[in-house]
Amino acid sequence: MHFQWYPGHMTKAKRQMQEDMKLIDLVIELVDARIPLSSRNPDIDDLGKHKARLILMNKADLASKEQTAAWSSYFKEKGYFVVNLDARTRAGMKNINEVVAKACQEKIERDWRRGIKNRPVRAMVVGIPNVGKSTFINTYAGKACAKTGNKPGVTKGKQWIRLNKNLELLDTPGILWPKFEDQRVGLYLALIGSIKDEILNIDELSLELIQILQEKYPGILHERFEIQEEQKPAEILGEIAKNRNCVKKGNELDYSKAAALLVEEFRSGKLGKITLEFPEKQS
Ligand code: G4P
């Protein structure tokens, strides 16, 4: 899904989320494991304060295992529960129920003390567009789930998916908008494919990607395209064009075709498991 944000959308989404927050105990926030900070909007910390918090590092299949582990510790140290995930497969869902139970333990105990027994935990999935919210809900809820329908006394029109006797999920995910204040954030979102390609300069994007790869993942470009990495990014792009036979009429190298190819290979994981953003060392 491609997206563009207008202030009207943002305000409406935020207001909706504020309303939905009143109904839930647990915020299940999806981030993209390749850019765990740039793919989240820190406003959720304010919107979701006093709620149990679970971060799902989704698309972990495309991210560096080592960096995903580092990010997982980073978020855990900040008090979030964390699960690494490929939302397309059921395998990753095994852990979630257990972690959800842990994340909500406090609430369950509080309910018990007040004599409220067996009230299911209510959760809501949130995240920026394209992070995998719908995929997650579909895989997690699976076919077995039953929609509970509107409940009298609860906000009209809300549909809950009953996952088991302990957990209900709001069936529409909350949409957060990314924070574009920092240029790097825009670059990273563009690289993972969360910004309309038509408005991007893919040539520029590919040069930025080459630079990141040279710096953080030495050897990857050499291995994939049989090229010398100690060159300027534009020269490397030319080598990629040669290696992949990207030529225009008249045998001229087609840089744009090579750029698109490189970016596609990154996005689809063909270049390897690559995380673009690294956690700051905790001191
Ligand atoms: P959204 O509701 O948050 O907007 O995201 P959605 O579930 O629609 O997922 C966006 C794309 O990301 C989908 O690809 C989906 O298959 C893919 N995706 C979701 N979770 C994962 C994951 O854990 N790993 C990988 N590798 N991909 C995941 P799509 O519909 O095919 O779109 P696109 O790939 O053509 O962009």
Side-chain angles (χ1 to χ4, degrees):
M1 187 181 99
H2 297 304
F3 67 99
Q4 244 176 330
W5 283 101
Y6 301 102
H9 283 148
M10 293 186 206
T11 318
K12 194 160 171 253
K14 192 166 181 173
R15 207 176 308 127
Q16 182 64 53
M17 197 158 327
Q18 272 163 339
E19 285 305 308
D20 290 343
M21 282 292 164
K22 293 179 193 157
L23 308 174
I24 58 147
D25 311 294
L26 168 72
V27 178
I28 301 178
E29 179 187 359
L30 270 80
V31 302
D32 190 302
R34 293 165 296 176
I35 50 168
L37 278 193
S38 295
S39 60
R40 69 190 296 259
N41 183 326
D43 287 353
I44 189 64
D45 288 336
D46 191 39
L47 285 164
K49 64 174 182 265
H50 310 312
K51 305 289 173 188
R53 301 291 303 276
L54 168 60
I55 289 188
L56 300 180
M57 301 242 284
N58 195 36
K59 309 201 184 182
D61 54 299
L62 299 172
S64 143
K65 275 209 167 67
E66 194 191 339
Q67 291 306 324
T68 300
W71 276 112
S72 182
S73 310
Y74 170 93
F75 285 124
K76 281 178 186 164
E77 274 173 37
K78 293 193 182 302
Y80 302 94
F81 288 87
V82 185
V83 175
N84 306 330
L85 194 67
D86 174 350
R88 297 166 310 166
T89 66
R90 281 205 62 79
M93 306 294 155
K94 276 200 309 257
N95 274 331
I96 291 181
N97 280 333
E98 203 180 313
V99 180
V100 164
K102 266 194 214 149
C104 294
Q105 200 160 3
E106 201 182 304
K107 181 218 156 271
I108 292 167
E109 283 168 6
R110 198 171 53 227
D111 275 1
W112 270 78
R113 282 198 300 273
R114 292 175 177 165
I116 306 168
K117 291 189 181 133
N118 302 326
R119 185 171 84 70
V121 166
R122 296 221 177 97
M124 172 182 176
V125 173
V126 305
I128 65 166
N130 219 34
V131 77
K133 297 180 293 302
S134 314
T135 309
F136 168 70
I137 293 175
N138 287 338
T139 313
Y140 190 42
K143 286 198 189 85
C145 76
K147 290 205 173 156
T148 58
N150 298 345
K151 288 190 176 180
V154 180
T155 309
K156 261 192 213 152
K158 292 288 163 210
Q159 294 256 309
W160 295 89
I161 303 169
R162 177 178 280 263
L163 286 152
N164 54 52
K165 67 180 182 8
N166 299 320
L167 183 63
E168 289 185 358
L169 200 63
L170 197 56
D171 83 334
T172 36
I175 300 175
L176 294 164
W177 52 99
K179 261 209 147 65
F180 286 107
E181 275 157 25
D182 181 341
Q183 286 242 320
R184 291 307 278 178
V185 174
L187 168 66
Y188 291 152
L189 289 166
L191 281 171
I192 66 163
S194 279
I195 296 177
K196 230 181 178 140
D197 275 351
E198 294 90 90
I199 61 167
L200 295 172
N201 182 332
I202 296 285
D203 295 8
E204 295 268 326
L205 205 57
S206 74
L207 296 178
E208 296 276 3
L209 177 60
I210 289 171
Q211 218 172 342
I212 296 172
L213 294 175
Q214 280 177 308
E215 208 175 295
K216 305 287 189 191
Y217 296 89
I220 274 201
L221 288 166
H222 171 71
E223 205 173 296
R224 182 88 187 153
F225 302 106
E226 296 160 19
I227 52 167
Q228 274 304 323
E229 292 193 0
E230 296 77 26
Q231 306 182 65
K232 294 209 175 81
E235 289 163 353
I236 290 189
L237 191 59
E239 298 274 308
I240 293 173
K242 269 187 226 156
N243 176 287
R244 289 299 168 89
N245 217 10
C246 303
V247 282
K248 295 192 229 180
K249 270 194 203 130
N251 236 9
E252 205 182 310
L253 287 178
D254 189 340
Y255 282 81
S256 295
K257 194 170 171 190
L261 182 144
L262 178 68
V263 170
E264 190 282 323
E265 293 208 353
F266 161 71
R267 286 179 184 164
S268 60
K270 292 188 196 104
L271 282 185
K273 295 180 185 296
I274 295 168
T275 301
L276 297 174
E277 188 173 49
F278 304 90
E280 279 168 28
K281 289 266 176 296
Q282 303 284 299
S283 50

